Amino acid sequence: MIELRGVSFGYPVRRNDGKDHQLVLDDVSMRIDAGSFVSVVGPSGCGKTTLLKLIAGLLRPLKGEIVYGGSNGPDSRPLIGMAFQNAVLLPWRTVLENVIFPLEVVKRWRSELRRRRHEFVERALALLRSVGLEEYAHRMPWELSGGMQQRVSLCRALIHEPDVLLLDEPFGALDMLTREELWSVLQDLWIERRCTVVMVTHDLREAVFLSDTIYVLGGRPATVIGCVTVSYPRPRPLDVCYRDDFVRATRDLRDLLERSSPKVVT
Amino acid sequence: MKSVLKNGSPVLATLVLLSAWEAAVRALRVPEYVLPGPSRVLESLVVHAGPIASHTAATLEATMLGFSLSVVLGLTLGLLSGLSESFQRAIYPMLVAFNTIPKVAIVPVLVIWFGIGKVPAILTASLISFFPVFVNVSTALVTTEPELRDMLLSLGATRAQILIKVGLPRSMPYFFGSLKIASTLAFVGAIISETVASNEGVGYLMIAASSRFDVPLLFAGLLVISAISVILYAVFVLLERRLAGWAFRPPG
Ligand SMILES: Nc1ncnc2c1ncn2[C@@H]1O[C@H](COP(=O)(O)OP(=O)(O)OP(=O)(O)O)[C@@H](O)[C@H]1O
Ligand SMILES: [Mg+2]
């Protein structure tokens, strides 16, 4: 479990009166149960990426604390996997080598890389197979379409068996059909592993389809203005999106967002 | 036919220029000590082949030594400033200022320190050519995608690991790209120094020829210089394709 307790954060800005912070997040509290799928939605620029970086430990809160698995010691931070809107694959490595990359970095695996190389390759190939890209293993990233690259990026985020998967608008750059296809791919991967997922998204249908819990951020500085629980059974088929209660849930979320960001009159 | 035209066009253009030159020189009866025709230059090249070869070898040696120095210097400074933003901020203005100094102005200083001969040529070659290496490597490191950095940090990577796993491979195309420029610059630097302060090398040969009004030999020297520049450039293009080939996607 990850718990955010009254987390505030601001990036340093230079002001006339010396250094200060421009608050981005103010008093954000969240409970992310282990093995659950949580989405974060909110208007553009409200601090969603910042929130992910805080959870990843790349930034430190100004106030409040983030507690991992009930303790907040220095070594309690879970193993993290990340994927972004851009796949950012390493262009000098093949698809397979890209997927294996985290194993060359994470302490737990790095020491065993040489001895267990064969096993790791098998693991990467299995992951690629599960996203339908096994025959592309030895291609270069630029030979793949955007959607395929994003699948590779998902595999790379999962290869080291992270406890927490952080996704920053992972499907934001894809067309609707590809996106929906990858929802199912992601859902299957998650059901199989049951790691904790925190996903930032702009797509409300995506949030409702994939999540157990959706946190809505709003205001300036942003704080949690709503939390919606979705309890459809898993695995969810794609046509769940056309059910009345699904459409209603999406619209409620939309209303909540709209109310939080006052309309600009043009 | 089209590909013959495409690949042959540089040769064709050169031939056209040379024949026009030869024809003009002959038609206008331009004296040899003003502008010799290509045939005369070629003749001089053959007649003086021995000395030209040995002076060229000397220049190439100075070029290569200076170039190696410049690669080490440029790479080191580039890596350091890619690693530390404050280091980059501190040295960048200084290096830019230094780079704008015409290197011929530095040769007298080098002569006072090291005397006439090979050392000033080597140092001039390296001083003139390390800047592109430095700029390219540091730019490559600084422009590493922030997402990649974040991903690596979240995996628990150290700065050194980020440099080795991502920074260095990513900067390879920039590095080899800069070698193309740096190698020809080093060659120019060596020749500049030789014309001022040396008793060997193509630069010295040309100054000597000039003082004897041996204009055909002077032009032969120019010919050798441009041939070597082209060859150096081509060698590093090849090396680049070999070692950073991933950066060149096939067209289409
Ligand atoms: N490195 C940084 N330094 C200073 N300010 C930053 C930095 N990164 C983000 N900000 C500011 O923090 C605020 C929140 O940025 P963030 O990227 O977290 O928003 P976001 O919700 O992810 O936006 P989007 O939906 O467009 O991706 C923005 O106002 C942005 O200008
Ligand atoms: Mg963002």
Side-chain angles (χ1 to χ4, degrees), chain A residues 96-247:
Chain A
L96 180 67
E97 289 166 346
N98 262 287
V99 174
I100 288 181
F101 182 68
L103 298 179
E104 298 172 16
V105 178
V106 175
K107 259 211 192 88
R108 193 203 296 176
W109 301 112
R110 203 173 55 209
S111 50
E112 311 194 14
L113 187 64
R114 195 161 298 166
R115 197 158 42 84
R116 295 170 62 186
R117 177 119 210 152
H118 187 72
E119 180 193 332
F120 289 170
V121 167
E122 283 306 316
R123 197 201 284 182
L125 284 174
L127 258 177
L128 283 170
R129 193 176 312 131
S130 65
V131 300
L133 282 182
E134 202 189 8
E135 67 260 49
Y136 290 89
H138 300 288
R139 300 283 195 87
M140 297 310 279
W142 45 265
E143 295 179 76
L144 274 57
S145 72
M148 291 156 117
Q149 292 189 22
Q150 206 55 40
R151 288 168 206 239
V152 177
S153 155
L154 269 182
C155 293
R156 180 179 63 182
L158 287 169
I159 186 80
H160 53 298
E161 299 180 340
D163 312 305
V164 181
L165 180 61
L166 302 177
L167 305 172
D168 194 352
E169 299 178 42
F171 311 131
L174 305 176
D175 67 280
M176 198 176 88
L177 286 180
T178 316
R179 204 183 312 166
E180 291 183 351
E181 199 184 318
L182 287 190
W183 292 354
S184 302
V185 169
L186 176 59
Q187 180 178 236
D188 292 346
L189 285 173
W190 172 73
I191 288 174
E192 195 187 308
R193 301 166 171 259
R194 282 287 169 175
C195 55
T196 310
V197 180
V198 182
M199 178 178 77
V200 164
T201 179
H202 275 138
D203 185 338
L204 301 181
R205 292 169 66 240
E206 179 169 296
V208 177
F209 178 78
L210 283 170
S211 315
D212 300 318
T213 312
I214 303 162
Y215 282 98
V216 184
L217 294 183
R220 216 162 255 279
T223 188
V224 176
I225 57 165
C227 172
V228 179
T229 321
V230 186
S231 49
Y232 301 121
R234 311 259 186 184
R236 297 173 185 165
L238 265 179
D239 51 14
V240 87
C241 304
Y242 302 103
R243 276 168 43 173
D244 284 345
D245 48 347
F246 184 98
V247 174

Side-chain angles (χ1 to χ4, degrees), chain B:
Chain B
M1 185 62 209
K2 237 184 190 152
S3 76
V4 172
L5 249 172
K6 198 175 152 198
N7 295 325
S9 57
V11 180
L12 199 71
T14 314
L15 285 179
V16 167
L17 177 74
L18 288 181
S19 2
W21 175 3
E22 183 76 44
V25 166
R26 289 191 183 204
L28 304 173
R29 300 183 181 286
V30 181
E32 186 183 291
Y33 56 85
V34 175
L35 179 66
S39 60
R40 184 68 191 83
V41 173
L42 213 63
E43 188 193 325
S44 171
L45 192 67
V46 173
V47 171
H48 301 284
I52 289 180
S54 67
H55 283 296
T56 306
T59 304
L60 277 180
E61 190 192 338
T63 303
M64 280 307 143
L65 286 172
F67 173 66
S68 315
L69 266 179
S70 86
V71 170
V72 173
L73 188 65
L75 208 53
T76 312
L77 290 176
L79 289 182
L80 284 176
S81 64
L83 270 177
S84 149
E85 206 183 314
S86 41
F87 181 80
Q88 160 139 10
R89 245 202 317 273
I91 66 164
Y92 215 95
M94 202 162 61
L95 289 181
V96 170
F98 177 78
N99 191 47
T100 51
I101 298 174
K103 294 303 167 302
V104 71
I106 293 186
V107 179
V109 181
L110 295 176
V111 170
I112 290 178
W113 288 347
F114 303 103
I116 301 261
K118 200 150 253 169
V119 181
I122 294 171
L123 291 180
T124 313
S126 71
L127 290 179
I128 204 173
S129 62
F130 81 90
F131 195 70
V133 180
F134 158 74
V135 170
N136 276 28
V137 170
S138 68
T139 305
L141 293 179
V142 169
T143 54
T144 300
E145 292 86 345
E147 288 100 336
L148 272 181
R149 202 183 301 267
D150 283 349
M151 185 192 80
L152 274 146
L153 287 173
S154 74
L155 293 173
T158 58
R159 269 182 174 209
Q161 266 183 312
I162 296 180
L163 182 73
I164 291 167
K165 288 282 178 193
V166 177
L168 280 183
R170 220 188 87 90
S171 64
M172 279 305 111
Y174 297 78
F175 174 64
F176 286 110
S178 75
L179 291 193
K180 288 186 293 197
I181 300 163
S183 60
T184 41
L185 278 181
F187 187 58
V188 170
I191 290 171
I192 286 178
S193 174
E194 286 165 357
T195 56
V196 181
S198 186
N199 36 31
E200 57 173 351
V202 181
Y204 165 75
L205 178 78
M206 289 179 61
I207 286 295
S210 154
S211 63
R212 279 187 278 118
F213 283 96
D214 189 347
V215 183
L217 181 56
L218 207 50
F219 271 84
L222 286 177
L223 199 68
V224 169
I225 289 175
S226 31
I228 288 179
S229 298
V230 171
I231 292 171
L232 274 178
Y233 192 84
V235 165
F236 284 99
V237 168
L238 254 160
L239 207 66
E240 181 182 27
R241 298 260 155 176
R242 266 287 159 83
L243 297 175
W246 57 265
F248 298 95
R249 299 161 198 200

